[in-house]
Amino acid sequence: MLTGGTEVKRRDFLKTAGWYAAGPVLGWAAARRPNVLVIIADDLGYADLGVQGCKDVPTPHIDSIGATGVRFTNGYVSCPVCSPTRAGLMTGRYQQRFGHEFNPGPAALAEEHFGLPLTEATLADRLKKLGYATGMVGKWHLGYKPAMHPQKRGFDEFFGFLGGAHSYVDAMRDKANPILRGTEQVNEKSYLTDALGREAAAFVERHVKEPFFLYLSFNAVHTPMDASERLLGRFGSITDARRRTFATMLASMDEGVGQVLGKLREHKLEENTLIFFVSDNGGPTPSNTSRNDPLRGYKGQVLEGGIRVPFLMQWKGQLPAGKVYEHPVIALDILPTAVVAAGGTIPSNPVMDGVNLVPYVTGREKRTPHERLYWRFGPQQAIRKGDWKLARLAEGAPQLYNLAEDVGEKNDLAGKMPEKVKELLADYGAWNQQLMEPQWKGRQAVLRQERQRQKKR
Ligand SMILES: [Ca+2]
């Protein structure tokens, strides 16, 4: 919680920065800079929201973000798994530029130097510099070591856990990955997703009088499949037990989002808050029953089902309501959009890959935000250029799809269109040259190594 002293300093800063004078001159409707709320879901598939076509689990609160603002139908993340996507989102940069290509594996087995490199400025660092109160609630997954802790990466406050997954019902189950408030372990008794909603709403309540940035990072609907007992009765009509569990996990997250949105409404902050909702990767259908239809593929793959996700943005009064935006966007865009909205600027060095989305969704800028988008995840590679997508999976030749005609990536045109394949490979190669080698091994390699070590003993 902020002390009085910090608040005074923040007010002084705002005066020095000339904010109070600059606002009206620049024509901003709001009397102060917008709050920034970034909500990220974990392993939520493209079709896992009501507004995205989900029929058996209502998600009215999350859906309302798209209804009050913008829903992106071609919204991507920069990796089909958790940690690298978050590294991209937190920096606005393709994470392979700084070697953050893979998940680390479980906390106890992760490589010593795993974590978002300290050379990178996070969204929290940038907004804190602009005088924002910054808080994070939920899953971090960007480093386990003390130097990588959220409160060392720009966040004033932290409630959550450092690992990649967590039990929802037993705070003490994973000794290497406890629930923390700041750096102190907490024996949380509530269902974890309920607790994250509670903490996020409390953060808003504490900071209604100043610009704030809240990063609300749910681990729902990632495994383990722990049902919310409280919500099971609501889904009695779902006969499949795992799907019923999933429904409670998703419903609890929707309620948590509702709590935070309700808090913003209560304090009349809706028109002064920029909100994003994304999932960190596509749904891993076999493990949690999530759905990616009509897309092909799952979490872990550079097919659309692994990288195209629910992607919503709201800024009431500033952005059109109920707009559906179809040009491709990517979670890397969240940082520049937020920093510019906060009155900051984006230096050109180091390279920023995301763009400010506001002029695009208001229609002031007619071009597409990204001529090309790229993915590299170990041996998997992909590029999207206009409607064309070239994807090389872990094995086999590159596949070429026209996503405007074939969103399900069923009709591989690579054999018929060698010139297009060549063009996209050359574009991909030019991007790939700018990247670093991965700075640690992927989760699978870590687990394989551990199995071999166990065998030798
Ligand atoms: Ca994930």
Side-chain angles (χ1 to χ4, degrees):
M1 209 177 293
L2 287 168
T3 62
T6 316
E7 285 193 21
V8 169
K9 263 187 243 151
R10 187 164 277 126
R11 229 175 286 136
D12 285 349
F13 170 86
L14 293 174
K15 269 189 211 152
T16 337
W19 163 253
Y20 290 115
V25 174
L26 295 174
W28 286 310
R32 49 173 258 204
R33 296 169 296 170
N35 308 305
V36 176
L37 168 60
V38 176
I39 307 170
I40 184 162
D42 199 352
D43 289 9
L44 187 77
Y46 189 72
D48 282 334
L49 297 178
V51 72
Q52 298 281 109
C54 179
K55 298 278 182 255
D56 55 351
V57 191
T59 53
H61 300 295
I62 301 172
D63 292 352
S64 79
I65 299 171
T68 312
V70 183
R71 182 169 74 90
F72 298 90
T73 53
N74 287 263
Y76 289 95
V77 283
S78 54
C79 184
V81 299
C82 313
S83 177
T85 283
R86 289 149 198 272
L89 186 156
M90 233 355 119
T91 59
R93 287 155 46 74
Y94 282 113
Q95 64 279 355
Q96 304 91 338
R97 290 193 187 279
F98 44 89
H100 201 128
E101 187 154 337
F102 294 122
N103 268 340
L109 303 176
E111 285 193 53
E112 191 65 21
H113 56 288
F114 160 71
L116 180 66
L118 297 173
T119 46
E120 297 297 315
T122 68
L123 177 53
D125 288 326
R126 290 173 188 271
L127 292 177
K128 191 177 166 71
K129 256 194 195 158
L130 291 167
Y132 276 61
T134 54
M136 168 177 172
V137 173
K139 161 172 161 173
W140 177 235
H141 214 197
L142 289 175
Y144 300 109
K145 297 282 182 269
M148 301 287 180
H149 187 278
Q151 286 170 303
K152 293 279 164 55
R153 307 309 303 270
F155 290 101
D156 301 327
E157 304 180 24
F158 170 59
F159 177 91
F161 58 94
L162 302 178
H166 203 284
S167 164
Y168 296 86
V169 292
D170 181 358
M172 310 303 268
R173 191 189 293 168
D174 183 354
K175 298 279 179 291
N177 182 30
I179 303 290
L180 302 170
R181 184 183 300 283
T183 52
E184 297 298 315
Q185 185 166 342
V186 179
N187 186 7
E188 178 61 53
K189 300 292 188 200
S190 300
Y191 185 73
L192 183 55
T193 309
D194 293 346
L196 300 184
R198 177 196 73 210
E199 293 292 325
F203 177 87
V204 172
E205 183 72 51
R206 283 198 295 279
H207 297 287
V208 290
K209 291 202 173 10
E210 59 193 330
F212 64 77
F213 166 46
L214 173 59
Y215 175 52
L216 173 52
S217 172
F218 287 104
N219 55 313
V221 289
H222 195 298
T223 54
M225 299 299 282
D226 291 335
S228 161
E229 296 289 335
R230 180 175 66 81
L231 294 170
L232 271 173
R234 198 187 288 179
F235 298 102
S237 62
I238 299 179
T239 49
D240 177 72
R242 286 176 68 246
R243 182 68 184 175
R244 196 159 60 240
T245 293
F246 174 89
T248 68
M249 294 163 76
L250 176 50
S252 172
M253 174 161 64
D254 189 61
E255 283 188 0
V257 170
Q259 260 180 289
V260 180
L261 297 179
K263 194 52 84 180
L264 293 175
R265 268 194 301 275
E266 180 189 327
H267 291 287
K268 306 202 174 0
L269 292 174
E270 264 188 311
E271 299 195 339
N272 205 36
T273 304
L274 169 65
I275 306 173
F276 282 98
F277 179 92
V278 291
S279 178
D280 69 339
N281 48 252
T285 308
S287 74
N288 73 351
T289 81
S290 60
R291 307 282 311 230
N292 302 313
D293 37 299
L295 310 178
R296 176 181 159 211
Y298 308 110
K299 173 182 180 179
Q301 297 181 311
V302 297
L303 289 164
E304 294 289 289
I307 53 177
R308 198 195 289 206
V309 294
F311 199 125
L312 311 170
M313 175 185 179
Q314 169 185 328
W315 187 1
K316 201 174 173 183
Q318 301 286 327
L319 304 183
K323 177 158 182 150
V324 176
Y325 188 84
E326 296 190 339
H327 287 303
V329 300
I330 190 161
L332 308 177
D333 299 330
I334 292 173
L335 181 142
T337 305
V339 169
V340 172
T345 51
I346 304 293
S348 56
N349 185 25
V351 172
M352 179 62 55
D353 295 298
V355 302
N356 173 18
L357 291 176
V358 170
Y360 293 95
V361 297
T362 56
R364 203 150 29 96
E365 176 58 78
K366 304 279 186 243
R367 288 173 298 181
T368 179
H370 299 278
E371 292 292 334
R372 302 175 191 80
L373 291 175
Y374 310 90
W375 294 266
R376 188 180 86 180
F377 182 47
Q380 296 190 68
Q381 307 166 351
I383 173 172
R384 176 164 180 179
K385 185 180 189 181
D387 291 332
W388 294 100
K389 161 115 177 255
L390 189 77
R392 195 198 297 267
L393 305 186
E395 289 169 349
Q399 307 169 16
L400 178 70
Y401 298 102
N402 184 318
L403 295 175
E405 292 162 6
D406 178 24
V407 74
E409 295 174 295
K410 293 191 179 85
N411 185 18
D412 179 6
L413 300 169
K416 280 186 197 151
M417 304 185 70
E419 288 304 314
K420 184 54 87 178
V421 171
K422 213 167 132 190
E423 173 196 328
L424 293 177
L425 281 176
D427 287 356
Y428 178 88
W431 173 73
N432 192 43
Q433 276 190 347
Q434 304 169 34
L435 309 180
M436 277 177 82
E437 286 299 305
Q439 294 299 291
W440 50 83
K441 288 190 288 291
R443 182 174 185 274
Q444 297 306 333
V446 167
L447 295 177
R448 205 161 40 236
Q449 199 174 34
E450 176 62 12
R451 277 195 299 273
Q452 279 161 1
R453 202 179 64 84
Q454 298 277 1
K455 247 191 242 165
K456 275 188 201 149
R457 287 168 79 192

